[in-house]
Amino acid sequence: MKLLFALLISTARTFTGAQYYYQGLMDYLENRLLAIEDRMQLWHEQSHRYHTEMKDFKKLTAEAMDGLKNHHSMLFKDLEGAAARVDRVEQEMDYVETQMSPRACTNRADKVVEQDAWELEESRGEEEEEEEWEELQSRVSGFRDFQIRDCVEIISGIRSVKIMKRVGSPKGMWTRDPRSSKVYIFNGTSGNTIYQFKSLLDFSRSLGVTGSRSIRLPSEWSGPGSAVYNGYLYYIKQEAEADMQVVKYDLLSGSVTETAMFPVEGRATVYNLNPETVADLAADDGGLWLLYAPSDSEPTISLAKMDAATLDIEQIWDTRCPRENAEAAFVVCGTVYVVYNTRLASRSRVQCVFDVNDMVLSEEAPLIYFPRRYGAHASLKYNPEEKQLYGWDDGYQIIYRLTMKRKLLA
């Protein structure tokens, strides 16, 4: 009996201990659940706050973007106004430059490249020098009478500018035969193919060089210094460093009719800013001319009068026009106009004028500033029938219409 009572008491105590244990466990779990609920509530509140802040930030960002768009529109309008004012200032500068800029230097034909005929030995007496000078002057005067007797005009300015289109490479040449309506395109600085259009209208309406006639030459032309004159193409062929060849090509028959070797020292280029131009052929009212540099060490440009039929050299001059910063040149009525620029392309200008007949005075040297367009001229070709320049400027084909006046000494 005592044993049974003791067993009951022991069981009751065990049950009470287990009840206390499970109650403690339940309290612990309840507390952990309450802590988790509190943490979840905190997370919910933080998420709500972040969402609200994100909405506010998005609203502020949208308002800022709208403000930036408005500022961009205002800035664009201001830039348009500034561009218009800059154009107006450039026009006014053009006018001021033509009124106040220093005139282009003019060089008289007193230094012919035939040095032996001009250089007088200092040891000779004054009488001998005077006799030789008089003889030389009579020779030059006779040549002048032969040269260009009917052409007495000088450029006084640029009347208008017309941008035709953009075809091909940044550098090239285009021209029109003075005796026909055909237009010729020389794309790049060398090649053996040129493109012929029937007229300027056909060229302006074409897409690129489509619709043109491709003419494949028997040899490559070198540099944008070719010329088209009376149905013939005159171009420079240079294979060896010391040999420069002028080729006369009949555009009608498609054959070479004449060639002439022109000795130069090294691969000298005529214009410092266009090193691809090894020589520049030009045609005017008086015929065919060649601008070139005899050697790399020669600082000035030389001019040769050529017989268009035989390619014989009739006379050679030193123009005294520097090669440094020269980009192109052209000849009008026996007067050379050398165009200069800067290495960072700016406004082209005629800065040196040379007249083979000594008929251009310093006070009448033209004040010519080309309108600033795209870059620098790769070539300028004069058409004596139209009194226009055909320019190639960064791939754009441009026509400059010129105004002329009579030379004072004519």
Side-chain angles (χ1 to χ4, degrees), residues 213 215-218 231 248-257:
R213 173 196 169 202
I215 301 177
R216 190 175 183 86
L217 303 176
K248 180 181 179 182
Y249 179 82
D250 191 334
L251 291 167
L252 184 61
S253 65
S255 60
V256 174
T257 59

Side-chain angles (χ1 to χ4, degrees), residues 5-39:
F5 182 74
L7 182 60
L8 289 174
I9 292 174
S10 177
T11 303
R13 289 177 178 176
T14 303
F15 177 76
T16 302
Q19 186 178 9
Y20 286 149
Y21 173 77
Y22 285 116
Q23 183 63 40
L25 180 60
M26 293 299 294
D27 292 341
Y28 173 77
L29 292 176
E30 184 178 1
N31 291 334
R32 294 301 298 172
L33 288 173
L34 289 174
I36 292 173
E37 287 180 357
D38 293 340
R39 184 63 58 86

Side-chain angles (χ1 to χ4, degrees), residues 163 166 345-346 371-376 393-398:
I163 303 171
R166 189 178 191 181
S346 180
R372 184 172 181 176
R373 292 298 173 187
Y374 304 101
D393 183 353
D394 196 27
Y396 290 89
Q397 289 71 49
I398 302 176

Side-chain angles (χ1 to χ4, degrees), residues 389-405:
L389 285 176
Y390 286 74
W392 191 291
D393 183 353
D394 196 27
Y396 290 89
Q397 289 71 49
I398 302 176
I399 293 178
Y400 299 99
R401 295 192 65 187
L402 305 175
T403 54
M404 314 294 287
K405 65 180 181 181

Side-chain angles (χ1 to χ4, degrees), residues 116-316:
D116 295 337
W118 287 89
E119 294 177 352
L120 305 178
E121 297 180 3
E122 294 182 358
S123 60
R124 297 180 182 178
E126 293 183 359
E127 294 182 359
E128 186 177 355
E129 289 183 358
E130 290 179 0
E131 291 177 359
E132 186 169 348
W133 176 256
E134 289 176 359
E135 180 182 357
L136 180 60
Q137 288 292 87
S138 63
R139 287 170 53 196
V140 174
S141 299
F143 174 73
R144 291 175 187 163
D145 293 338
F146 162 76
Q147 183 83 354
I148 307 173
R149 289 176 291 183
D150 298 330
C151 188
V152 292
E153 290 183 318
I154 187 174
I155 297 175
S156 61
I158 297 175
R159 185 193 309 176
S160 62
V161 180
K162 185 175 183 180
I163 303 171
M164 298 300 297
K165 61 192 298 185
R166 189 178 191 181
V167 173
S169 304
K171 291 191 176 184
M173 191 211 83
W174 77 305
T175 187
R176 180 187 163 203
D177 190 344
R179 299 294 186 264
S180 73
S181 61
K182 295 177 181 178
V183 175
Y184 298 88
I185 306 296
F186 296 72
N187 185 24
T189 57
S190 63
N192 61 355
T193 302
I194 64 173
Y195 303 95
Q196 179 192 76
F197 289 87
K198 293 181 180 180
S199 66
L200 195 60
L201 184 61
D202 287 346
F203 171 68
S204 63
R205 290 178 175 177
S206 67
L207 180 63
V209 294
T210 58
S212 66
R213 173 196 169 202
S214 297
I215 301 177
R216 190 175 183 86
L217 303 176
S219 58
E220 283 199 359
W221 45 271
S222 178
S226 304
V228 178
Y229 184 67
N230 289 345
Y232 291 93
L233 165 64
Y234 300 85
Y235 66 93
I236 304 298
K237 175 185 175 183
Q238 188 172 34
E239 295 179 352
E241 288 190 356
D243 294 326
M244 184 179 71
Q245 189 174 17
V246 179
V247 180
K248 180 181 179 182
Y249 179 82
D250 191 334
L251 291 167
L252 184 61
S253 65
S255 60
V256 174
T257 59
E258 290 289 344
T259 58
M261 298 300 298
F262 211 86
V264 293
E265 296 180 12
R267 195 175 177 84
T269 58
V270 62
Y271 309 126
N272 178 261
L273 294 184
N274 279 320
E276 300 84 3
T277 308
V278 293
D280 198 2
L281 290 157
D284 74 342
D285 309 76
L288 188 66
W289 307 83
L290 178 69
L291 294 151
Y292 72 102
S295 66
D296 286 325
S297 61
E298 179 63 39
T300 57
I301 298 172
S302 295
L303 173 70
K305 179 66 175 66
M306 302 185 70
D307 187 320
T310 63
L311 299 184
D312 292 336
I313 301 298
E314 299 176 352
Q315 187 77 321
I316 298 177

